[in-house]
């Protein structure tokens, strides 16, 4: 799933090179299993609730909606890759490695985005009955 999200213009081998390079870089920085770091990063970023726009009587309301685990993981991976693409660094390999490490530690742009989504859901809790 991660490979297919990284891939652009059908270049799957390049996507694999990016992932393997990021995993090597994580291993050299932390001296731990990089798959554990990847799992921990995705687990910390995965949201339980998102807000969806619904039109009710002519006005648009942000309605909090619970999402499943598969959809939450897909959203977390999308957010991780989006944040690593926005990062200013020498290559996508280093950007992805740094973003995964930050997310696993509980900091970074992705964690901030997740907290922002939770704040939006909490602020619009009054509209939860419009599901």
């Amino acid at each position: 799933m991660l490979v297919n999200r990284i891939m652009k213009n059908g270049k799957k081998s390049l996507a694999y090179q990016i992932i393997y390079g990021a995993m090597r870089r994580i291993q050299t920085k932390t001296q731990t299993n990089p798959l554990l770091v990847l799992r921990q990063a995705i687990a910390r970023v995965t949201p339980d609730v998102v807000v969806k726009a619904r039109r009710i009587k002519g006005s648009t309301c942000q309605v909090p909606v619970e999402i499943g685990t598969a959809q939450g993981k897909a959203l977390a991976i999308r957010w991780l890759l989006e944040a690593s693409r926005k990062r200013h660094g020498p290559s996508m390999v280093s950007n992805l490695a740094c973003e995964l490490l930050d997310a696993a530690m509980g900091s970074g742009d992705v964690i901030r985005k997740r907290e922002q989504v939770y704040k939006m859901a909490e602020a619009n809790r009054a509209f939860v009955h419009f599901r």
Side-chain angles (χ1 to χ4, degrees), residues 79-94:
W79 287 350
L80 278 165
L81 293 176
E82 182 181 310
S84 62
R85 284 189 178 112
K86 282 184 183 176
R87 245 178 206 258
H88 297 293
S91 66
M92 180 64 181
V93 172
S94 63

Side-chain angles (χ1 to χ4, degrees), residues 41 44-47 76 79-80 82-83 86-87 99 102-121:
R44 288 215 176 162
V45 175
T46 302
W79 287 350
L80 278 165
E82 182 181 310
K86 282 184 183 176
R87 245 178 206 258
E99 198 62 45
D102 285 349
M105 299 294 177
S107 62
D109 288 343
V110 185
I111 300 292
R112 200 172 312 119
K113 181 164 183 141
R114 178 177 170 254
E115 289 171 359
Q116 203 174 32
V117 167
Y118 274 131
K119 283 181 187 175
M120 279 287 285

Side-chain angles (χ1 to χ4, degrees), residues 10-28:
K11 297 188 177 188
K12 194 172 253 189
S13 60
L14 181 61
Y16 274 115
Q17 287 177 7
I18 290 170
I19 290 174
Y20 292 149
M23 294 298 143
R24 275 193 296 276
R25 194 161 288 191
I26 288 171
Q27 186 164 10
T28 57

Side-chain angles (χ1 to χ4, degrees), residues 25-105:
R25 194 161 288 191
I26 288 171
Q27 186 164 10
T28 57
K29 281 186 178 180
T30 62
Q31 301 298 324
T32 60
N33 189 356
L35 290 178
L36 294 176
V37 174
L38 177 67
R39 282 190 188 137
Q40 189 177 17
I42 290 175
R44 288 215 176 162
V45 175
T46 302
D48 298 327
V49 179
V50 293
V51 289
K52 295 200 175 190
R54 301 259 194 244
R55 273 189 69 80
I56 296 139
K57 296 182 182 177
S59 66
T60 305
C61 298
Q62 297 288 330
V63 179
V65 177
E66 286 185 35
I67 58 173
T69 56
Q71 190 176 1
K73 284 182 183 176
L75 196 58
I77 290 170
R78 199 176 321 144
W79 287 350
L80 278 165
L81 293 176
E82 182 181 310
S84 62
R85 284 189 178 112
K86 282 184 183 176
R87 245 178 206 258
H88 297 293
S91 66
M92 180 64 181
V93 172
S94 63
N95 292 348
L96 181 61
C98 290
E99 198 62 45
L100 287 173
L101 285 171
D102 285 349
M105 299 294 177

